[in-house]
């Protein structure tokens, strides 16, 4: 399912799954927060999910196993 993500979408999705906030992801990747929001909307649509919590199920193997903020 996640093979339909672009490499950048997959990277952003993994960082979000691991608990980073949009501003943290943006700073790490040298992108704007709005760009991260745009990519995550695309990821959610492609994976047919509606929350960051669902990223853990859609993209297993994350560093975080606790609840997401």
């Amino acid at each position: 399912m996640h093979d339909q993500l672009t490499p950048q979408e997959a990277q952003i999705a993994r960082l979000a799954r691991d608990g980073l906030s949009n501003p943290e992801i943006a700073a790490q990747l040298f992108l704007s927060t709005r760009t991260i929001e745009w990519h995550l909307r695309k990821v959610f649509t492609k994976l047919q999910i509606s929350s960051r919590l669902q990223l853990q199920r859609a993209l297993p193997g994350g560093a975080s196993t606790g609840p997401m903020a």
Side-chain angles (χ1 to χ4, degrees):
M1 180 186 304
H2 58 83
D3 56 341
Q4 62 189 325
L5 299 178
T6 67
Q8 189 165 39
E9 289 168 349
Q11 182 181 28
I12 291 168
R14 284 191 301 271
L15 292 170
R17 173 204 62 200
D18 291 344
L20 274 69
S21 68
N22 289 357
E24 290 170 332
I25 296 169
Q28 185 168 330
L29 300 180
F30 303 101
L31 298 169
S32 74
T33 302
R34 288 183 61 134
T35 299
I36 300 304
E37 292 167 359
W38 182 76
H39 280 296
L40 283 175
R41 280 195 303 273
K42 289 179 63 180
V43 167
F44 285 12
T45 298
K46 287 182 178 183
L47 297 180
Q48 299 177 339
I49 61 176
S50 60
S51 74
R52 285 175 175 263
L53 183 59
Q54 292 172 315
L55 280 173
Q56 288 188 356
R57 287 185 218 108
L59 302 172
S64 173
T65 56
M68 313 269 334

